[in-house]
Amino acid sequence: VKYTWWTKLCIQQADCVLVLVDSKNAPELKRVEECLTWAYSSKNVRIELVVIQSSLSQEISCGEEHASDNLNNWSEQRPWISKHHLVRCCFSDHVQDFRRMSRRITGQSIGLVLGGGGARGLAHLGIIKALNEAGLAVDMVGG
């Protein structure tokens, strides 16, 4: 990441900063990170991590420390990261990831809480089908 006066100005004026990272590597932000820490602590700027995952990085590691572990360890050491978003490549094949991320960032995400089990489980399938037919994508599920 190249740190310029424009980067600093944008962070200083932002309400929300999206930090885009590759899922295979923990980033080395250095100077930008100092500015992000300042913006979070003094201006209460919301900072969210957007992890770009290529189709190759979805493979399972065999006993070795996986790249996602390194990224997870990196992000846990940054208290200023408030949320994580996962966006998969190829972008044209995963437009729903961008839509979901956009709804979450703007506070417009849709959640569905299911409960009861047993016979109600079949009713849940009908509700989910009706929501899909109505064009509503469910972003979070609980219950």
Side-chain angles (χ1 to χ4, degrees):
V1 174
K2 187 173 180 179
Y3 184 77
T4 65
W5 66 271
W6 183 252
T7 307
K8 183 177 178 180
L9 180 67
C10 290
I11 292 172
Q12 289 175 344
Q13 299 299 317
D15 295 323
C16 178
V17 175
L18 300 178
V19 178
L20 279 66
V21 298
D22 183 357
S23 66
K24 294 181 245 175
N25 303 312
E28 295 181 21
L29 298 176
K30 298 179 184 172
R31 288 184 65 199
V32 172
E33 193 168 343
E34 293 173 14
C35 192
L36 291 171
T37 303
W38 170 84
Y40 170 77
S41 60
S42 64
K43 295 186 66 184
N44 200 26
V45 172
R46 191 177 76 211
I47 302 168
E48 301 183 9
L49 190 67
V50 179
V51 180
I52 309 294
Q53 183 182 33
S54 68
S55 57
L56 298 176
S57 66
Q58 296 176 13
E59 54 194 51
I60 300 172
S61 72
C62 301
E64 301 174 10
E65 188 173 14
H66 197 269
S68 64
D69 294 334
N70 292 334
L71 184 58
N72 187 45
N73 293 339
W74 178 86
S75 68
E76 284 181 358
Q77 295 171 2
R78 274 82 184 158
W80 38 264
I81 296 176
S82 62
K83 290 183 183 175
H84 293 77
H85 306 280
L86 178 66
V87 178
R88 296 170 290 174
C89 291
C90 171
F91 300 130
S92 60
D93 295 338
H94 300 286
V95 173
Q96 71 274 14
D97 289 352
F98 284 102
R99 290 181 179 156
R100 179 175 295 114
M101 181 183 68
S102 299
R103 287 190 299 269
R104 288 186 68 199
I105 290 168
T106 60
Q108 302 295 315
S109 56
I110 298 172
L112 176 64
V113 178
L114 309 171
R120 290 187 183 153
L122 295 175
H124 294 155
L125 294 176
I127 294 293
I128 293 170
K129 182 180 177 185
L131 289 171
N132 283 337
E133 288 173 357
L136 293 173
V138 176
D139 300 314
M140 298 173 277
V141 178

